[in-house]
Amino acid sequence: MAISKTVEGPEAGCAGVQSGMTLMLGGFGLCGIPECSIAELVKLGAKDLTCISNNAGVDDFGLGLLLQKRQIRKMISSYVGENDEFERQMLSGELEVDLIPQGSLAERCRAGGAGIPAFFTPAGYGTEVAEGKEVREFDGKPHILESALTADFAFVKAWKGDSAGNLVFKATARNFNPMMAMAGKITVAEVEELVPLGALDPNEIHLPGIFVQRIFQGTEYEKRIEQRTVQTRETA
Amino acid sequence: MLDKNGIAKRIAQEVRDGWYVNLGIGIPTLVANFIPAGMEVEFQSENGILGMGPFPLEGDEDADLINAGKQTITAMPGAVYFDSATSFAMIRGRHVQLTVLGAMEVAQNGDIANWKIPGKMVKGMGGAMDLVASAENIIVAMMHTNRAGASKLLPSCSLPLTGVGCVKRVVTNLAVMDIKDGAFHLVERAPGVTVEDIAAATAGKLVIPENVPEMNIG
C-alpha cells in the first residue's frame, strides 16, 4: 500500500522549520513558487534563514515577503534583480548573497539529491565564480569543481499530486522544483489539485513521490505575472 | 547604421535549418521575429521550454508559461517542458546549436563581460555563464559603443568576465565581425556605414580585408 504523505495544510507542511535552517524554494521568477508555504514561513517568523532559490521574488511577493520581515540571512541564487528591499539589505550588509550560474545551481541541487558530492562544469571558468575552486582539464578544456547542495527543508509547488507525493507540473512552472524536491531532507510539496491515489497515470508523473515527505492542497493561488507581454488581437 | 531590429534581422540570417537556438534577453529576443517562414528552427528558453512561440494574444496569457526573461509566451506545436537541470544538460551538453546574447564588453580574444558592473547593484549572471561556456556558436548582439560613446569592442574586458575566449561573431549597429587569432575581423558593414566609422568605434585590434561588403538585410 502506498505511503501517505498528505498533511492538513501549510501549517502542518512547515512544522519544524527553525531559525538558522537552510531552505530550498522552487520557482523561476514568480513562476511555480510555493506561495502557500512562503505565506506560512512569514507567519512562523523563523529567522537567519539561508534560502536557496533561483530568484528572490519581488518586493511584495514571493521571497520578497521573507526579506521584508528580515528572516533571510543568506541568499543563494543565480539572479536577484527586480527587488529594491533585496538591494537595500545587500548594500547595507544585512544580507549575504552567493550568486551561482543558473545551470550550476540546478545541477548542484540535482547532485545533492542524487548522492553525488561534487562535479566538474565548464560554466564560470576564468570568472570570479571560479575563485578558490579546483580546476581540471577534460579533453583539453578547463572545468571547475562545484559541490552539491542540500537543505533542511525544500518547498516546491506542483500542479497535481497524490497522497504518495507523486507530482505533475504545469508548463514552465516546473523549473527548479523537481531538483529541489530531490535535495531536501524534508520536502514539502504544495499542489493546486490533490488527486486521489491512482488518478495520476504512472507514465506521466514528473517527480516520483519518494522525493516528497509532505504534500498538501494549496489554496488561493495568486500566480502573479512578472512581465505581461501580449500581442493585441488586431495586430496578431 | 542598424537599429535593434536591423541587428536582429542580420543575426536571423545566421540561423540554419534544423537548429535549436537559445536567445537571450533584449535584442536577441527579436531574432525570432525574422526567421523565414518554413525554416525548421526551435527556440529554447533556459527556464524550461523547447519550442517557444510568440507572445500570447491579449487575455490568453498564462502565469505558468514564461520565458527566461519572465515574459508571458506561448508554446508551438511539438513544444516540450522540462526542469532546469535538463535544460542546462541541453546547453552544457552542446545540444543547442546557437546562443545569441547581449554584452557590455567583448574582447579581441573572445572574452565576454555582461553580468556585473563593480560599484553598482549586482543582479546576477542567471544562465549566461553556462550558456557561453558550452555553446558551439555564440553570437553577441549589441551596440558598437556604450551610452557614453566608448567602444564595447576592446583589447581586453575591463568588467568582470562572464566567459573566456568563447565569442565567435559579433553583430552590432555598425558591423559584422568574426573573432579569431586575437583580433576582430571585419566581415560586413551596416548600410551607410564606412570602414573608417567602424575602425573609429573599435578599440580592439581590427583586421580589415580589402573588400568589406555592405550587409544585405532586405
Side-chain angles (χ1 to χ4, degrees), chain B:
Chain B
M1 201 186 316
L2 301 177
D3 61 6
K4 288 179 179 183
N5 276 307
I7 295 172
K9 225 171 176 177
R10 178 60 190 82
I11 291 174
Q13 294 174 2
E14 304 285 316
V15 178
R16 298 286 171 266
D17 222 35
W19 275 10
Y20 294 102
V21 178
N22 181 293
L23 301 176
I25 297 162
I27 301 173
T29 304
L30 301 172
V31 172
N33 300 335
F34 302 106
I35 301 297
M39 186 182 265
E40 294 182 355
V41 172
E42 284 195 49
F43 293 106
Q44 199 252 20
S45 197
E46 63 269 23
N47 59 314
I49 178 174
L50 198 57
M52 177 169 52
F55 296 151
L57 291 176
E58 248 173 327
D60 289 348
E61 58 275 27
D62 178 353
D64 289 326
L65 183 47
I66 62 168
N67 62 17
K70 288 132 191 161
Q71 297 172 311
T72 47
I73 52 161
T74 54
M76 300 295 284
V80 58
Y81 306 118
F82 36 83
D83 64 62
S84 301
T86 305
S87 182
F88 283 93
M90 295 173 188
I91 290 164
R92 253 189 265 99
R94 295 184 154 227
H95 305 284
V96 173
Q97 278 78 25
L98 173 65
T99 288
V100 183
L101 75 177
M104 299 171 188
E105 294 178 347
V106 175
Q108 63 196 25
N109 66 351
D111 289 357
I112 175 172
N114 74 349
W115 76 284
K116 184 177 183 178
I117 301 174
K120 286 202 181 179
M121 170 63 181
V122 177
K123 293 180 187 293
M125 68 292 282
M129 285 192 184
D130 310 90
L131 281 158
V132 300
S134 306
E136 235 173 277
N137 298 296
I138 299 175
I139 299 179
V140 166
M142 65 177 192
M143 292 296 165
H144 213 98
T145 53
N146 65 22
R147 277 184 205 136
S151 180
K152 295 168 74 172
L153 298 131
L154 305 170
S156 64
C157 291
S158 64
L159 295 170
L161 297 179
T162 306
V164 294
C166 52
V167 178
K168 305 270 169 61
R169 182 161 265 211
V170 183
V171 179
T172 73
N173 51 326
L174 303 184
V176 176
M177 286 147 298
D178 282 339
I179 295 178
K180 58 187 175 194
D181 309 325
F184 297 103
H185 293 252
L186 190 53
V187 178
E188 291 174 13
R189 298 174 287 115
V193 173
T194 66
V195 169
E196 290 71 30
D197 294 334
I198 296 162
T202 307
K205 187 177 171 192
L206 183 67
V207 176
I208 303 166
E210 208 163 304
N211 180 30
V212 182
E214 188 172 289
M215 290 177 207
N216 179 7
I217 55 165

Side-chain angles (χ1 to χ4, degrees), chain A residues 30 38-39 41-43 45-49 51 56-75 82-90 92 94-95 224:
Chain A
L30 301 178
I38 291 171
L41 290 169
V42 171
K43 260 196 249 169
K47 291 200 185 313
D48 293 322
L49 299 170
C51 290
V58 294
D59 276 312
D60 61 344
F61 200 55
L63 282 180
L65 298 171
L66 288 172
L67 285 165
Q68 296 277 7
K69 297 273 185 183
R70 316 261 167 93
Q71 290 176 260
I72 304 177
R73 184 183 53 80
K74 182 178 181 182
M75 276 299 312
E82 282 66 89
N83 194 321
D84 293 338
E85 179 61 17
F86 186 100
E87 180 168 0
R88 196 197 61 70
Q89 291 185 21
M90 183 171 155
S92 72
E94 290 166 65
L95 182 67
R224 199 183 290 186

